[in-house]
Amino acid sequence: MASIFLFGTMAYAAEFRVDYLETDGDLLKVEGWASNKKITLVLQDAVTGEIYDVRILDSDYETGFSALIRPNRNGTFRISVIAEDETNPSEVEIYFMAESDRRRIEQAVSSGTMEELKEAFAGTDAVKLYELTTEDGMDNSLIGEALYYFRETMNDEKHPEELLTLAAAVASLKQKKDIESLDVILAEIEKFGTEIDCRVLYEGMDNAGKKAVAERIAAQQLDFSNINDSFKEAVILGGLESCTMWSHAAEYLAAAEITAYDDANQIDKEFIEQNTAGKKFLSLTALEKETERLLSLKNSASAGGHSGGGGGSSGRKSPVQSGVPYIPKAEEPEGTEETENKTKIVFEDVSEEHWAFEAINFMHWEGIVQGYQNCFRPDNFLTRAELVQMLCRVFSLDGGKECTFDDIESTSWYYPALCTAQERGLILGDGSCFKPDMNITRQDMAVIIYRFARECGFEIGDKQMYFADDDEFGEYAKESIHLLAGCGIINGYEDGNFYPMGSATRAHATQMVYKIVSKSR
């Protein structure tokens, strides 16, 4: 006898059960036991409470009781049984479906076309028949669509009914783009013996990262022929996109198995990590091309270089320094002149041939910038907070009492500098947040440096210089860039562009501030 779907238990606690009758699939057989008592059996609509059938039955001690019931439509019904002398009925809810409808749905699941599957699942019948979990308002026809693709790509490895829970989870993911649906998908796939690449990496992600993965998977046509490739790509790209610290990008880039990154030295790897963390890539191929471009850009910048530029936030953190990133003004070695100190090689990665050598050495000896042990890492990007800290030192600004940005903690090393800058109107953020740990874009850096310089009486003048990509500047940044370029504080690239949305490096910022310091002395 085929089992009928019951809401809750199979009702054995109530001493009866319900099944479809084998010889007539449109009849329900109710049978149970109640020890020589009269039994009242009631069939009613589970939603409206409307009563369709009432039976008075005898229950024999040995054979119990039984009855055949024919519901008049598909739907959810409540069957109640109460024995004489009892006050509380035993009851169960069932979803009844006519035999012809069951056979139609089963046929569609087994061998139907995509349209037949979508039609079968468009209503509630198929969902109830197979006891699938869905939510109100969802387009269940997507279950049929997903099942069709799975059935076609499985090569008869699994019976279609075994794929229904997976198909329902895929349909849910496509509509909700949620972590829970993706977790069901992964669990179902692993039940089939398929090992999922990058599963450990995924489990270690925070909810923001998992959400990014779910959104990427939801946008794909998921099938068993490429599940590992699809999931691996989604984890790597979703992980990079959700990175709030550039150092976290390393594990995703390593998983991508990109030759240019794998073969790079540690400094170059960090450069790639800073420029890919927080960015959205459409594919692993796009990530690979960007990695190669970044290495080419870094090598050309290290070999030649260009002058300082502007700022903003790109979404990647620069290297984290332990403690407050400040060193006192260096004491001059005994028996040497100050000018000699400022021309000595201080950092191993900034040779005398480096385009920003003079600026970096001078600013270091003035106690304005510091390095990382014996290195300065000139090509590393600068964060928004690091720039403000540097400028407060340069212009000797302090005394701020409170910072009202929502994303600034009073215990942060940069808190005093941001308090001072905000109270003076030198930084505005986006109104509620400043995003201190995000890389600063060239145009935002120009704006903030311009404000500091004007606040402290630096003579900028009214001469303006324009760039080939002026139309890409934000309106708020145009005046600052044009005026700073006009007085020689910033220059563009050799191709005549300023590249306002590019991230400013430590060398760029140091060179730019050095020019201001030099002009003011």
Side-chain angles (χ1 to χ4, degrees):
M1 202 180 302
S3 294
I4 186 171
F5 177 55
L6 305 178
F7 294 86
T9 68
M10 283 294 292
Y12 283 116
E15 302 295 347
F16 75 97
R17 63 173 292 145
V18 183
D19 284 304
Y20 287 111
L21 188 64
E22 286 186 350
T23 56
D24 187 341
D26 289 334
L27 281 175
L28 296 179
K29 183 176 183 179
V30 182
E31 56 184 354
W33 181 86
S35 185
N36 295 321
K37 293 183 179 181
K38 292 285 187 181
I39 298 296
T40 301
L41 185 151
V42 179
L43 175 70
Q44 62 186 128
D45 189 297
V47 178
T48 66
E50 180 181 358
I51 295 176
Y52 293 106
D53 198 351
V54 178
R55 307 282 183 88
I56 306 297
L57 307 171
D58 290 319
S59 178
D60 182 81
Y61 181 82
E62 293 184 358
T63 61
F65 66 89
S66 67
L68 297 178
I69 302 175
R70 188 186 299 273
N72 61 354
R73 59 175 176 79
N74 293 353
T76 305
F77 295 89
R78 180 179 298 112
I79 297 178
S80 304
V81 173
I82 186 170
E84 59 181 343
D85 302 328
E86 298 291 336
T87 57
N88 297 318
S90 297
E91 57 186 28
V92 68
E93 288 188 2
I94 63 168
Y95 189 83
F96 172 82
M97 188 185 306
E99 184 175 25
S100 58
D101 293 326
R102 296 200 307 275
R103 299 292 176 259
R104 174 179 56 81
I105 293 172
E106 290 168 354
Q107 179 63 32
V109 167
S110 177
S111 59
T113 65
M114 181 189 291
E115 290 305 315
E116 289 172 337
L117 276 168
K118 291 175 68 174
E119 181 182 354
F121 282 90
T124 59
D125 283 352
V127 171
K128 299 296 186 182
L129 176 64
Y130 293 108
E131 306 178 30
L132 301 177
T133 301
T134 62
E135 295 183 11
D136 293 340
M138 291 183 62
D139 181 4
N140 291 331
S141 68
L142 292 178
I143 299 176
E145 180 179 319
L147 179 61
Y148 178 83
Y149 279 106
F150 286 139
R151 196 183 66 192
E152 295 302 303
T153 58
M154 281 295 290
N155 298 322
D156 298 325
E157 293 178 24
K158 295 291 178 183
H159 189 279
E161 288 189 13
E162 296 179 85
L163 302 171
L164 280 166
T165 301
L166 177 60
V170 169
S172 175
L173 179 67
K174 285 186 172 295
Q175 296 174 86
K176 296 167 61 180
K177 300 177 176 61
D178 62 320
I179 300 171
E180 292 76 13
S181 297
L182 178 57
D183 287 342
V184 172
I185 291 172
L186 297 177
E188 286 297 309
I189 291 173
E190 289 177 335
K191 285 181 183 178
F192 300 151
T194 301
E195 187 173 340
I196 304 296
D197 292 343
C198 290
R199 180 65 188 268
V200 174
L201 188 58
Y202 170 77
E203 293 300 336
M205 300 172 79
D206 60 17
N207 283 340
K210 290 182 177 180
K211 176 67 173 175
V213 175
E215 290 174 350
R216 285 179 175 272
I217 292 292
Q220 301 176 8
Q221 179 58 64
L222 188 66
D223 60 49
F224 278 93
S225 65
N226 67 351
I227 179 60
N228 263 320
D229 290 342
S230 297
F231 186 69
K232 177 181 178 179
E233 182 173 85
V235 169
I236 293 170
L237 301 184
L240 284 174
E241 181 184 348
S242 64
C243 275
T244 57
M245 295 183 65
W246 67 267
S247 57
H248 291 171
E251 56 185 344
Y252 300 111
L253 288 165
E257 300 178 302
I258 296 173
T259 302
Y261 175 81
D262 292 342
D263 293 346
N265 60 41
Q266 188 58 37
I267 292 177
D268 287 351
K269 282 184 175 181
E270 290 181 0
F271 181 77
I272 296 169
E273 291 155 12
Q274 293 169 55
N275 279 276
T276 53
K279 291 187 68 175
K280 187 171 186 175
F281 296 93
L282 295 179
S283 66
L284 286 177
T285 300
L287 174 61
E288 182 175 17
K289 289 182 178 178
E290 177 65 4
T291 299
E292 294 169 350
R293 188 191 72 81
L294 288 170
L295 281 177
S296 176
L297 176 65
K298 182 179 183 302
N299 292 334
S300 62
S302 298
H306 46 268
S307 61
S313 61
S314 69
R316 281 85 61 195
K317 281 192 176 185
S318 53
V320 178
Q321 307 175 40
S322 60
V324 177
Y326 170 79
I327 57 173
K329 184 173 180 178
E331 295 185 6
E332 298 162 16
E334 198 174 317
T336 62
E337 297 294 328
E338 180 181 357
T339 53
E340 293 177 355
N341 287 329
K342 293 175 183 177
T343 58
K344 290 173 61 178
I345 294 177
V346 177
F347 301 111
E348 294 177 356
D349 56 351
V350 182
S351 68
E352 291 183 74
E353 289 74 32
H354 193 283
W355 61 271
F357 171 77
E358 181 180 343
I360 292 170
N361 264 23
F362 179 89
M363 296 287 277
H364 168 72
W365 285 108
E366 289 295 315
I368 295 170
V369 299
Q370 74 169 28
Y372 305 84
Q373 296 180 342
N374 297 323
C375 295
F376 184 71
R377 298 181 183 174
D379 297 321
N380 281 6
F381 293 133
L382 193 75
T383 66
R384 294 165 63 82
E386 287 172 337
L387 175 66
V388 174
Q389 177 86 334
M390 179 191 298
L391 293 173
C392 283
R393 291 194 200 125
V394 169
F395 294 106
S396 300
L397 298 180
D398 56 25
K401 301 298 183 183
E402 183 181 11
C403 184
T404 60
F405 293 120
D406 293 341
D407 57 349
I408 305 301
E409 298 289 340
S410 61
T411 55
S412 302
W413 59 262
Y414 45 70
Y415 186 75
L418 296 191
C419 288
T420 298
Q422 187 185 31
E423 288 182 6
R424 291 172 177 263
L426 303 176
I427 55 174
L428 305 177
D430 62 7
S432 60
C433 295
F434 182 67
K435 301 177 182 178
D437 297 315
M438 299 181 80
N439 294 349
I440 191 159
T441 61
R442 291 169 55 81
Q443 70 174 1
D444 282 356
M445 184 170 71
V447 169
I448 293 175
I449 289 180
Y450 175 77
R451 289 175 185 158
F452 268 85
R454 291 296 295 268
E455 171 76 7
C456 297
F458 178 77
E459 192 62 40
I460 295 177
D462 56 8
K463 180 182 177 180
Q464 298 192 33
M465 190 176 86
Y466 299 87
F467 296 92
D469 55 354
D470 259 41
D471 58 345
E472 297 180 16
F473 297 178
E475 287 298 323
Y476 70 93
K478 287 184 177 180
E479 181 183 32
S480 300
I481 297 172
H482 294 157
L483 289 173
L484 289 177
C487 69
I489 300 301
I490 60 175
N491 298 313
Y493 287 75
E494 293 179 358
D495 61 3
N497 291 313
F498 180 70
Y499 296 109
M501 295 308 295
S503 295
T505 66
R506 287 166 55 82
H508 293 155
T510 304
Q511 175 82 349
M512 191 171 174
V513 175
Y514 170 67
K515 288 184 178 182
I516 293 177
V517 172
S518 299
K519 285 179 178 289
S520 63
R521 293 196 172 192

